[in-house]
Amino acid sequence: MSDAPVHDMKTSSTAAPFDSQQGILRRGLSRPAAFASIAAVFVLFMAASSAPSPLYVIYQHEWSFSATTLTTVFAVYVVGMIAALLVLGALSDHIGRRPVLASAIVLEAVAMALFIVAGDVSVLLIARFVQGIATGAAMTTLGATLVDLNPPHAPHRAGVITGAAPTFGLGLGALGTGVLAQYGPQPTHLVYELLLAGLVLAGLLVALLPETAQRRPGAVRSLQPRLGVAPRLRTDLIALVPILVASWALGGLYLSLGPSVAANLFGLSNHVIGGLVVTLLCGPASITVFALRGWPTQHTLALAAALLLLGTAVGLTGVQANSLTTAALGTAIAGIGFGGSALASFGTLARIARPTERGELFAVAFVISYLAFSIPAVIAGFATTNVGLHDTSVVYSTAVMAFSALALIAQRLRTLRARSADRRMEPAVAGAASDHPSPSAVVEGQFAVPFDAETGEPFNR
């Protein structure tokens, strides 16, 4: 992907979906309502993706399959998702957001129907694969649409929601499923029926959503599986890789084997506890996204890496000492790091990408995240079958700690590089007006440079 020219909203006012004078949508939902609707759909997709996690123990008991099969069911979802990200990640930049979102909702509804009728592992695998495709198609489009709809008075909001929605949805879906499985009728059916109803509502909302992206040629070519990042964006993305790997690998462990750890290592067979294991990681993550939304991103990333390292170490201590309280405390601490990572990572991506780059850039970031989310979990499933859940948890946690330490180093190097850029730029900006911030603010990932909320571009000086 090459650098695209700066999008000029003034020269394309006839096709733009916003009234530049009043800042509202010209048809359909109002701008605030559209933004809230897309945020809700984002949460719905993520809640659906974590809904099977507390049910894996039930499926495993009813159908008698191994931990290897369990993590394979988990991973096939990610295979479908990554395939969709590679093929469909940039499609909404060409044909518009609404067609892609509508198609993703239909596919997700098909997946829910398959879950409802599933009677063995084969149907479960198909359902998870279809769900992965639907979620992959939706996620980058939802993220890009949030940026398109970002309110001018709150330029950081899209990044905050993009960071909070995945963790909040994952926690909500897992906990809700656990409660329904423990206390509701038909534990492996009811949650999917409710999610199916939610998807019908999501389809109606998308039908009322005006298009936020201009059509442009190249849709067929965009379907070629590729990952491309504009050269000017690569340094920022590479610096985020270690913390994306650390945080999402930890999330993959909890969503695939977390309920099994609670049941087998701590003797907690209640399905609510199985959902709570995931929520204990994702709940603090969502709260953190909102609590730290005003922090400079380099500070948030450093704090997130440190807390991921600390929380994983405390959780590992709890497993080793068979202390449920210590393990729960470590999970909550790591959850704060998870949320800080999501906030700063996706907030940075939302800010630095141009409108025509958003789909592809979010696709690359989600591919990295979900490879880390799935591959280690599958390896852990094989390891659990062969060496046991306890030893697997120890090795897995140690690897997460190593990547967290690497993330700390990466952020330190990034800070030093930005300071060096400051010193080199000082002569060039010495005579500039006081209201012109240093170009290093962009490198550093802070929000010092004023950005156009609709285009994501720095204002022309």
Side-chain angles (χ1 to χ4, degrees):
M1 181 175 65
S2 60
D3 284 338
V6 176
H7 180 67
D8 187 349
M9 295 295 292
K10 293 181 180 178
T11 61
S12 58
S13 59
T14 58
F18 304 121
D19 185 321
S20 60
Q21 298 297 321
Q22 300 179 17
I24 59 174
L25 297 175
R26 290 183 176 176
R27 60 185 178 84
L29 297 174
S30 68
R31 185 172 187 157
F35 186 92
S37 297
I38 292 299
V41 173
F42 207 151
V43 170
L44 176 65
F45 267 91
M46 299 313 298
S49 73
S50 67
S53 291
L55 302 180
Y56 287 149
V57 175
I58 299 177
Y59 290 133
Q60 194 172 21
H61 175 74
E62 291 182 353
W63 300 337
S64 300
F65 55 79
S66 67
T68 300
T69 302
L70 188 155
T71 52
T72 301
V73 172
F74 168 78
V76 75
Y77 159 80
V78 183
V79 172
M81 174 182 287
I82 291 176
L85 289 171
L86 291 173
V87 176
L88 305 175
L91 185 61
S92 73
D93 291 336
H94 297 273
I95 68 171
R97 314 298 188 205
R98 293 175 69 227
V100 177
L101 286 177
S103 300
I105 289 170
V106 170
L107 271 180
E108 186 79 1
V110 171
M112 295 302 105
L114 288 171
F115 279 122
I116 292 171
V117 302
D120 54 38
V121 174
S122 61
V123 179
L124 195 63
L125 286 167
I126 296 171
R128 283 296 272 173
F129 182 71
V130 173
Q131 185 182 32
I133 295 174
T135 307
M139 285 186 70
T140 54
T141 307
L142 289 166
T145 307
L146 285 171
V147 178
D148 295 341
L149 294 167
N150 201 52
H153 64 277
H156 310 161
R157 186 169 296 174
V160 171
I161 298 300
T162 304
T167 52
F168 179 75
L170 290 172
L172 180 65
L175 182 59
T177 301
V179 172
L180 291 174
Q182 184 66 36
Y183 302 111
Q186 298 181 306
T188 58
H189 293 81
L190 179 58
V191 64
Y192 301 123
E193 293 167 355
L194 294 175
L195 288 169
L196 186 58
L199 288 166
V200 172
L201 178 59
L204 294 175
L205 291 174
V206 169
L208 295 174
L209 181 73
E211 184 54 67
T212 63
Q214 292 182 310
R215 290 178 178 268
R216 61 190 181 96
V220 175
R221 193 185 340 164
S222 75
L223 298 178
Q224 298 175 359
R226 64 192 179 97
L227 290 175
V229 178
R232 67 182 186 84
L233 304 177
R234 289 173 188 167
T235 299
D236 280 306
L237 180 62
I238 291 171
L240 295 174
V241 169
I243 198 164
L244 287 173
V245 171
S247 57
W248 286 95
L250 186 65
L253 174 65
Y254 275 81
L255 266 78
S256 61
L257 295 176
S260 296
V261 170
N264 297 328
L265 296 186
F266 293 103
L268 302 172
S269 58
N270 187 294
H271 298 308
V272 176
I273 299 298
L276 192 60
V277 168
V278 178
T279 304
L280 197 57
L281 179 76
C282 296
S286 298
I287 295 171
T288 300
V289 169
F290 286 98
L292 300 184
R293 64 187 183 277
W295 278 38
T297 55
Q298 80 276 16
H299 295 164
T300 305
L301 285 168
L303 177 64
L307 290 177
L308 280 169
L309 178 59
L310 175 62
T312 305
V314 172
L316 179 57
T317 301
V319 170
Q320 292 286 68
N322 196 32
S323 171
L324 179 61
T325 302
T326 304
L329 176 63
T331 299
I333 294 172
I336 297 173
F338 193 3
S341 168
L343 168 66
S345 299
F346 290 102
T348 297
L349 298 176
R351 177 184 54 78
I352 64 176
R354 294 169 178 166
T356 55
E357 298 168 337
R358 287 172 190 157
E360 280 191 309
L361 183 60
F362 274 93
V364 172
F366 282 127
V367 165
I368 294 170
S369 299
Y370 279 91
L371 283 174
F373 195 58
S374 59
I375 293 177
V378 173
I379 295 173
F382 281 98
T384 297
T385 301
N386 292 289
V387 303
L389 191 56
H390 178 274
D391 291 345
T392 300
S393 298
V394 171
V395 174
Y396 200 115
S397 298
T398 302
V400 170
M401 291 164 60
F403 273 99
S404 299
L406 184 60
L408 277 172
I409 295 171
Q411 293 311 310
R412 177 60 179 168
L413 292 175
R414 192 165 178 255
T415 299
L416 292 175
R417 185 172 62 249
R419 289 176 180 172
S420 176
D422 276 342
R423 289 192 293 269
R424 290 196 303 269
M425 292 299 297
E426 280 175 0
V429 299
S434 60
D435 61 345
H436 284 201
S438 167
S440 66
V442 175
V443 177
E444 191 63 13
Q446 300 182 53
F447 295 105
V449 175
F451 281 81
D452 186 309
E454 292 184 356
T455 67
E457 291 294 322
F459 286 119
N460 293 328
R461 296 176 182 171

